[in-house]
Amino acid sequence: MLRQVRTFLNDRTGVIAVLFGLAMLPLALAMGVAVDYSLVAQQQILLQDSLDAAVLAGASLSTDSDSDRIEEAELVFAANFPAVHQVQPTVTVDGSTVTATASMAVPMAFMGFIGLSNFNISATAVAVVGEAGIVCALALNANEKGGVRLEGNTSLVAENCWVYANSSHARAMESVGISEAEAPGFCAVGGYVGDAFTPSPDTGCPVVDDPFADLPIPDLACDHTDQVVFQNGTFVASEGVYCGGMRLLADAEVTLAPGLYVIRDGDLELLAHSSLNAEGVTFYFYGSDTKLEMHSYSSIDASAPAAGDYAGFVFVQDAGSSVGETSVMAGGGSVNIVGIAYFPTQILDIRGLSGFNIDSPYFVLIADTFRIRGNGTIHLRVDPDAIGYPDLVQISDGARLVQ
């Protein structure tokens, strides 16, 4: 009998199995905790995404009604978050801000064995209503670096309108030097670089189509077959097609009768200390080697016509003419332009010196790209009561998440 007891006590058969079984208990618990944690993480992401979608929908709604924004947010949340969880968000509207919060208890599959049957999660999302505005500077190029580029210590002031760049480049808007730019808003399809912009540009904006791509081409029969040159005196000129362009030399003072001036196969060039007065006038650039060359310390006082095919336009570049050329507008003299400068496939090089378009009630720039530089202030402004001028692009920076 004693021998049998000793044999039993010394028997090690099955020990490994017992030890393995004991070791599996914490391993199984750890795996269960991992599964529960994964479930919690998934529900947290789903809850946050559903709230984000809800507040963006509420903020994007075209309405001034707080109750409509709340209802829209609740509907979008319900469409995105499984109804089985019976979660109802709390949505509030404060001015232009839409906020939604929600919480829920996530049932635990394994952690209930250690007394934790539910895990509480919560989330908050905040979106702001997009700000609407009129675009008064639009760079149309779709991929160029520096669609809007500020250099030196120039200052750009868009008093009641937005500056927009269609470029998808990471530097669609950029500033170098100590330049400054202020506007109700800046918007770029791509990104921006530089701290000149106040406020900081919105990025990821939608592309804005050229609003004036369908402007008609005028009669192109030449009224003047050689470049018309004005030098050292006072002159009056009439509308027509100026084949070879028009050139104002120093000390030339030229007054243009109202009408359409086609600058064909040549430049409109204003040298320093020349002066151009053009009320109710549109310059249409067509052909080869055609562009605007407005030198520093030249003076211009020009306003667009209020009626006709080119109502509101002071400068129009034909989109198929002299593509990629650079048109120049320089300050330093007296500069007062009332109307739109439209150069859809050219670079517009604006060299600001003191007194650049300070008093104009309506000055809008549309170009392939902009280079804004110098040491003065360039003013953009849109007077909504400007009679006969075309409708401009209305945009919104769109609702966006801020939390």
Side-chain angles (χ1 to χ4, degrees):
M1 181 65 178
L2 183 60
R3 179 180 297 176
Q4 291 175 337
V5 171
R6 289 175 177 174
T7 300
F8 175 77
L9 293 174
N10 292 327
D11 191 354
R12 298 292 185 266
T13 305
V15 169
I16 294 176
V18 172
L19 293 175
F20 180 77
L22 292 173
M24 281 298 293
L25 289 175
L27 181 61
L29 181 60
M31 292 177 62
V33 170
V35 171
D36 281 343
Y37 178 80
S38 176
L39 178 62
V40 170
Q42 291 174 8
Q43 293 299 320
Q44 182 73 57
I45 292 171
L46 179 59
L47 183 63
Q48 186 66 63
D49 288 348
S50 299
L51 288 175
D52 288 348
V55 295
L56 282 172
S60 299
L61 200 64
S62 298
T63 181
D64 293 325
S65 169
D66 291 353
S67 61
D68 287 348
R69 293 191 189 280
I70 292 171
E71 181 181 3
E72 180 70 11
E74 290 174 342
L75 289 172
V76 170
F77 180 85
N80 284 277
F81 200 75
V84 67
H85 295 302
Q86 297 182 344
V87 175
Q88 180 65 32
T90 299
V91 182
T92 59
V93 177
D94 182 9
S96 62
T97 302
V98 181
T99 302
T101 61
S103 61
M104 65 174 292
V106 182
M108 298 289 96
F110 293 93
M111 294 178 68
F113 292 111
I114 59 173
L116 185 61
S117 58
N118 294 295
F119 191 92
N120 294 322
I121 63 172
S122 63
T124 299
V126 182
V128 293
V129 177
E131 296 182 26
I134 296 174
V135 176
C136 60
L138 173 60
L140 294 169
N141 191 288
N143 48 39
E144 185 71 19
K145 171 186 174 183
V148 176
R149 177 180 171 86
L150 281 75
E151 303 176 8
N153 63 345
T154 193
S155 177
L156 172 66
V157 178
E159 294 188 7
N160 61 350
C161 48
W162 287 55
V163 177
Y164 209 102
N166 270 349
S167 175
S168 60
H169 196 282
R171 300 175 69 110
M173 285 187 178
E174 60 180 357
S175 66
V176 295
I178 56 174
S179 55
E180 297 179 345
E182 295 183 13
F186 297 88
C187 221
V189 174
Y192 76 95
V193 172
D195 56 3
F197 305 99
T198 303
S200 297
D202 293 329
T203 58
C205 298
V207 172
V208 171
D209 293 332
D210 182 352
F212 305 119
D214 295 328
L215 283 176
I217 297 175
D219 180 10
L220 299 171
C222 297
D223 296 303
H224 304 273
T225 55
D226 295 309
Q227 183 186 60
V228 174
V229 179
F230 301 100
Q231 181 177 7
N232 193 23
T234 301
F235 306 90
V236 176
S238 299
E239 66 176 334
V241 180
Y242 287 74
C243 294
M246 181 185 295
R247 193 173 193 223
L248 280 67
L249 302 183
D251 299 320
E253 298 182 9
V254 180
T255 298
L256 301 182
L260 177 63
Y261 292 75
V262 178
I263 308 300
R264 180 175 176 181
D265 301 325
D267 297 341
L268 172 61
E269 186 174 14
L270 283 70
L271 271 65
H273 306 296
S274 64
S275 175
L276 178 64
N277 297 291
E279 182 177 350
V281 164
T282 297
F283 296 98
Y284 191 99
F285 298 88
Y286 184 89
S288 60
D289 299 321
T290 183
K291 58 188 181 296
L292 173 64
E293 284 280 355
M294 182 179 154
H295 295 264
S296 298
Y297 298 103
S298 60
S299 294
I300 183 169
D301 189 350
S303 64
D309 290 337
Y310 307 105
F313 291 89
V314 173
F315 302 110
V316 176
Q317 176 235 341
D318 173 70
S321 298
S322 301
V323 175
E325 294 282 352
T326 298
S327 282
V328 177
M329 300 174 66
S334 174
V335 178
N336 187 58
I337 300 172
V338 182
I340 301 169
Y342 177 65
F343 295 89
T345 57
Q346 289 189 0
I347 299 166
L348 186 53
D349 184 357
I350 305 170
R351 303 171 185 176
L353 297 169
S354 59
F356 196 106
N357 231 36
I358 293 175
D359 298 322
S360 172
Y362 190 100
F363 185 46
V364 174
L365 303 173
I366 299 174
D368 180 77
T369 55
F370 297 107
R371 301 290 181 269
I372 303 171
R373 50 185 172 154
N375 58 358
T377 300
I378 299 162
H379 295 263
L380 302 177
R381 188 183 295 110
V382 176
D383 179 358
D385 298 324
I387 299 173
Y389 285 4
D391 292 334
L392 296 175
V393 178
Q394 302 264 349
I395 58 94
S396 171
D397 62 350
R400 62 187 185 277
L401 291 170
V402 295
Q403 180 179 333

